[in-house]
Amino acid sequence: MSVVFDAVMLLLLIATAITVARARDLVAAVVKFGLYSLVLCLVWQHRGAPDVAITEAAVGAGVTSVLFLLTIAKTARSERG
Amino acid sequence: MRTFALALVLVVAATMVIGIAGLPPHGDPDGPVHTHVGARYLEQGVAETGLRNLVTAVLLVYRGFDTFLEVVVIFTALVAVLALPSATRQPPPPRGEGAAASRREADDAVPVSPVVFLVVRLLAPFIAVFALASLYRGHVTPGGGFQSAAIIGAMMIALGLVFGREHAARLVPHGAKAWLQALGPLVFAAVAFVGWRLTGAFLGFPADEAAYALREAMVVVLEVAIAVGGAVILAQLFMALDAPS
Amino acid sequence: MIGGVLLEIVAVGLVVVGVAFLLAGTIGLVRFPDVYTRAHAASKCDSAGAGSVLLGLALHDGFAFGDLKLVLLAILVVVSGPTTAHALARAAMRSGRRAWTRDERGPA
């Protein structure tokens, strides 16, 4: 069961990473990156690293998303803008 | 260009695959993870450092320099953002009648929704308590300075979003702003020198039984400085990027 | 004895209902035509779905002291989910998104 969970989570991680890289709309990329962080947070917790999981959730999914969005608001929204 | 990119990706991918193939199997008792310092940390960490949380012991005692530089890196990020010209440039103040009103209008063209305002106000104290608990309990359970810094910083950003820039700026007292931003590196350096005086090693922690209270005090001071300094830096990063340009 | 079984039934029922809401919300998020209907579906996931799954888990565990965390989490989710949906819909409204109607069938 644990192996299945790990495998699903890691596959999901790769899938979200690819969607982040493929997104043309940078706001969509940020949202997908938040999802990536959330999945990674679950992986950390499941692998027994709650410290890293808390940081990943707070910094990866929370603070960096806000900072990225602000930067996009200041620059351009599209990758080739 | 496309062929070059493709070749580059293939080379990097091949390198990574070769590297991963060279790793010892997961859980291998003879792997480097289990034969080098890791085992010693686990077996003797508590006795050697006198700290109850092994993660804290590794973070502050065994890997103190890494953590020190990590704090410096966060501080450097803020310095870099503040060095951008748009971060500190103030928009020209509007003149004449109704200047204050038009200024406010430009600042938040969209009024904050009363629902979001109420919910953020209601949740903020709980978030603060969670951050403090994570700092305080970080001694024995997961959590600690960095986590609590991220949580307090996120809370300050949320409050800044609903209360507006002027009110949010007041969360960090103006005179102490520069000191608070540099709190992490400054306190880390101070504790490192205290450790030097006590043990003869930079960032050393007195490990004997008698120095229990002193050692705990050093760790607590470091954790609080990381939490407060990190939170202020995160909030300031947000303010600097959010500044009207 | 009977009480325990009853509690278990209620707990499992809550989890099942929660998962059903999560599924329906997810399908809605993918299938609905515009931002307002999607926010409507997604907020069901949060409040009804995750909320009742958490409450069901707390019941399943027998309401020990540690389950207070699950209840607090459920309260947080129930409060923050609708707020997020409200903020999203409001931002969409303010930026001039038109609501989908049956007449205009194009992609919203």
Side-chain angles (χ1 to χ4, degrees), chain C:
Chain C
M1 189 61 205
I2 293 292
V5 173
L6 215 62
L7 204 69
E8 193 75 344
I9 290 172
V10 173
V12 172
L14 273 173
V15 173
V16 168
V17 167
V19 170
F21 266 107
L22 280 170
L23 182 68
T26 312
I27 293 174
L29 186 65
V30 177
R31 295 283 300 159
F32 276 165
D34 75 340
V35 63
Y36 302 105
T37 44
R38 282 183 181 168
H40 160 81
S43 68
K44 296 297 160 297
C45 267
D46 275 354
S47 44
S52 58
V53 166
L54 284 169
L55 277 185
L57 288 179
L59 271 182
H60 176 76
D61 218 34
F63 266 124
F65 181 69
D67 299 336
L68 204 62
K69 285 183 200 170
L70 288 177
V71 177
L72 283 177
L73 262 181
I75 292 173
L76 174 73
V77 160
V78 166
V79 170
S80 69
T83 311
T84 321
H86 159 79
L88 251 173
R90 192 168 178 274
M93 194 80 195
R94 291 240 164 215
S95 66
R97 281 296 181 92
R98 300 276 300 279
W100 179 85
T101 52
R102 200 173 282 277
D103 308 326
E104 32 178 307
R105 300 237 165 175

Side-chain angles (χ1 to χ4, degrees), chain B residues 36-233:
Chain B
H36 284 66
V37 285
R40 169 159 169 188
Y41 290 171
L42 288 180
E43 282 157 14
Q44 296 164 29
V46 172
E48 272 186 349
T49 63
L51 296 174
R52 278 176 291 167
N53 187 348
L54 209 56
V55 175
T56 311
V58 171
L59 212 60
L60 290 182
V61 181
Y62 289 122
R63 290 280 180 266
F65 276 101
D66 296 60
T67 312
F68 189 2
L69 291 180
E70 214 169 303
V71 171
V72 173
V73 162
I74 300 175
F75 177 66
T76 313
L78 178 67
V79 171
V81 169
L82 287 181
L84 293 174
S86 72
T88 44
R89 196 200 304 138
Q90 294 297 322
R95 291 168 195 286
E97 212 161 304
S102 73
R103 172 88 180 73
R104 199 170 308 126
E105 222 167 80
D107 217 22
D108 11 304
V110 181
V112 174
S113 147
V115 179
V116 176
F117 185 73
L118 177 74
V119 169
V120 169
R121 256 179 51 185
L122 275 180
L123 287 184
F126 292 100
I127 300 172
V129 168
F130 176 52
L132 287 179
S134 141
L135 178 64
Y136 171 72
R137 300 273 300 163
H139 229 47
V140 281
T141 58
F146 285 103
Q147 286 85 349
S148 147
I151 297 164
I152 298 176
M155 181 198 72
M156 287 166 90
I157 290 173
L159 285 176
L161 278 174
V162 300
F163 278 97
R165 300 180 56 76
E166 282 97 40
H167 289 278
R170 251 182 264 154
L171 276 176
V172 180
H174 192 74
K177 204 159 114 182
W179 290 101
L180 283 175
Q181 285 167 354
L183 193 68
L186 284 179
V187 170
F188 228 110
V191 170
F193 276 108
V194 168
W196 195 7
R197 291 282 300 174
L198 289 173
T199 64
F202 194 70
L203 255 181
F205 285 84
D208 45 35
E209 202 54 44
Y212 175 77
L214 183 63
R215 186 174 60 235
E216 295 280 296
M218 284 167 76
V219 169
V220 167
V221 165
L222 274 184
E223 294 272 12
V224 170
I226 290 172
V228 174
V232 169
I233 286 177

Side-chain angles (χ1 to χ4, degrees), chain A residues 47 50-52 54-55 58-59 63 66-68 70-71 74, chain B residues 26 55 86 142-143 147 150 157 234 237-238 241-243 245:
Chain A
R47 303 299 297 179
D51 287 87
V52 194
I54 298 173
T55 315
V59 176
V63 179
V66 174
L67 293 181
F68 277 147
L70 281 174
T71 313
K74 284 211 158 237
Chain B
H26 189 72
V55 175
S86 72
Q147 286 85 349
I157 290 173
L234 282 178
L237 269 177
F238 173 78
L241 284 172
D242 191 36
S245 52

